[in-house]
Amino acid sequence: MLIILLGPPGAGKGTQAERIVQEHQLAYVSTGDILRNAVKEQTNLGRKAKQYMDQGQLVPDELVVEIVKDRLTDPDCAEGALLDGFPRTVTQADFLEQALPGIGINIDRVVSIEVKEEELIERLTGRRVCSECGASFHLKFKPPKVRNVCDVCGGDLYQRDDDTFETVKERLEVYKKQTEPLIAYYEKKGILSPVDGNQDIDAVFNQINKILEKI
Ligand code: ADP
Ligand code: AMP
């Protein structure tokens, strides 16, 4: 089983993914997490990706598709995977379509989380992430029990470099130009399921679950 979570930055993809992978026993594949890890480890990939990520731009397709190709052949993906943040361009979507038959999986559903722009800005600028396990919190909407401390593992929370107001605006523009066309792309293929992401975290999760239970 392969599920794609589509949606603008801040739509709640990571937040929902955490629950979906538990409920449906799927491997979690987040290109954003893999790239941030590469930046932290100062690998070759990380050094190349950093300049784009800091400016709110997409990392070039040829770098990202290699990551996904490798990751999807990991043993834990054999039973099914959830893709978060990939594909983000039509080129990446075309690549995925061509690569999947060789890996022996196909896309079951593309869940598109829709959220209005003012809400996205508030969610992104108030987001705080755990430096140890990557869990995501929000100052107002999902505050940790203890200030700046991760509920899951006790790690320190930090604000992502690209969650500043200026970079957030740029990322939303990039989304509109380069990623939003994927909604029509997957709608045409008959595998798109839109979800109203403006509701609270539990309500969004319930909508997604109803969609996945029908697969
Ligand atoms: P994405 O992975 O799509 O960029 P996240 O899951 O990291 O988005 O969510 C962005 C921010 O919004 C986080 O701080 C998260 O806690 C918060 N958030 C996620 N879903 C909701 C929701 N339904 N209502 C309010 N805040 C939310
Ligand atoms: P995310 O964690 O999904 O918000 O991604 C953070 C940043 O990583 C993005 O702003 C991009 O710079 C980069 N990134 C993540 N996924 C992709 C992708 N599929 N294609 C290109 N760049 C990506």
Side-chain angles (χ1 to χ4, degrees), residues 18 25 32 38 47 49 61 66 74 76 112 118 131 135 145 147 151 160 177 199 203 214:
E18 207 179 300
Q25 272 109 48
R47 275 190 290 274
D61 290 332
E66 279 308 311
D74 284 347
D76 65 327
S112 168
E118 316 86 82
S131 54
K145 292 193 184 84
R147 200 165 167 267
D151 288 354
R160 276 171 45 174
K177 282 196 201 120
Q199 307 171 53
K214 285 191 200 133

Side-chain angles (χ1 to χ4, degrees), residues 8-16 84 119 123-124 126-128 136-138 141-142 160 171 197-201 204:
K13 300 181 297 298
T15 303
Q16 296 300 331
D84 166 2
E119 174 78 12
R123 286 190 189 178
L124 289 167
R127 172 161 65 184
R128 296 295 181 269
S136 170
F137 297 86
H138 192 280
F141 304 130
K142 192 188 170 192
R160 276 171 45 174
R171 286 161 65 205
N198 296 294
Q199 307 171 53
D200 68 37
I201 294 172
V204 178

Side-chain angles (χ1 to χ4, degrees), residues 7 22 46 60 73-74 91 116 125 137 147 161 194 197 205 207-208:
Q22 268 192 15
T73 52
D74 284 347
T91 306
K116 42 182 205 292
T125 52
F137 297 86
R147 200 165 167 267
D161 291 344
F205 182 59
Q207 285 182 68
I208 296 176

Side-chain angles (χ1 to χ4, degrees), residues 5-18 28 82 84-85 88 113:
L5 270 188
L6 192 63
K13 300 181 297 298
T15 303
Q16 296 300 331
E18 207 179 300
Y28 179 49
L82 179 73
D84 166 2
R88 250 175 161 106
I113 308 181

Side-chain angles (χ1 to χ4, degrees), residues 1 16 21 25 30 42 103 114 125 129 133 136 155 179 208:
M1 171 143 100
Q16 296 300 331
V21 295
Q25 272 109 48
S30 155
Q42 298 184 8
I103 306 171
E114 299 174 348
T125 52
V129 181
C133 73
S136 170
T179 309
I208 296 176

Side-chain angles (χ1 to χ4, degrees), residues 136-156:
S136 170
F137 297 86
H138 192 280
L139 293 178
K140 189 164 136 192
F141 304 130
K142 192 188 170 192
K145 292 193 184 84
V146 180
R147 200 165 167 267
N148 283 327
V149 178
C150 176
D151 288 354
V152 182
C153 75
D156 291 336

Side-chain angles (χ1 to χ4, degrees), residues 19-208:
R19 291 176 158 208
I20 296 167
V21 295
Q22 268 192 15
E23 182 85 17
H24 298 270
Q25 272 109 48
L26 298 170
Y28 179 49
V29 180
S30 155
T31 42
D33 280 359
I34 295 170
L35 289 166
R36 269 185 296 281
N37 220 17
V39 171
K40 197 166 151 192
E41 304 283 321
Q42 298 184 8
T43 64
N44 243 337
L45 167 70
R47 275 190 290 274
K48 287 184 197 153
K50 188 177 180 340
Q51 50 185 317
Y52 299 99
M53 295 171 79
D54 283 349
Q55 289 172 19
Q57 300 296 323
L58 294 185
V59 173
D61 290 332
E62 59 273 21
L63 293 178
V64 182
V65 299
E66 279 308 311
I67 300 176
V68 174
K69 203 157 76 182
D70 280 359
R71 180 67 182 95
L72 285 179
T73 52
D74 284 347
D76 65 327
C77 291
E79 297 299 313
L82 179 73
L83 279 179
D84 166 2
F86 183 93
R88 250 175 161 106
T89 63
V90 170
T91 306
Q92 293 178 14
D94 285 340
F95 153 81
L96 192 63
E97 192 165 291
Q98 281 157 22
L100 286 181
I103 306 171
I105 3 179
N106 52 47
I107 304 169
D108 292 279
R109 275 279 124 194
V110 177
V111 176
S112 168
I113 308 181
E114 299 174 348
V115 177
K116 42 182 205 292
E117 180 154 334
E118 316 86 82
E119 174 78 12
L120 292 172
I121 294 172
E122 191 174 6
R123 286 190 189 178
L124 289 167
T125 52
R127 172 161 65 184
R128 296 295 181 269
V129 181
C130 176
S131 54
E132 299 294 325
C133 73
S136 170
F137 297 86
H138 192 280
L139 293 178
K140 189 164 136 192
F141 304 130
K142 192 188 170 192
K145 292 193 184 84
V146 180
R147 200 165 167 267
N148 283 327
V149 178
C150 176
D151 288 354
V152 182
C153 75
D156 291 336
L157 302 186
Y158 76 104
Q159 180 173 31
R160 276 171 45 174
D161 291 344
D162 60 353
D163 276 347
T164 56
F165 182 74
E166 283 310 310
T167 315
V168 161
K169 291 291 269 183
E170 183 59 32
R171 286 161 65 205
L172 292 175
E173 285 306 310
V174 166
Y175 169 79
K176 273 187 214 150
K177 282 196 201 120
Q178 304 196 55
T179 309
E180 207 169 53
L182 291 179
I183 295 179
Y185 178 101
Y186 285 119
E187 200 168 27
K188 236 187 233 166
K189 293 184 187 296
I191 52 172
L192 186 85
S193 293
V195 161
D196 178 4
N198 296 294
Q199 307 171 53
D200 68 37
I201 294 172
D202 287 342
V204 178
F205 182 59
N206 286 338
Q207 285 182 68
I208 296 176

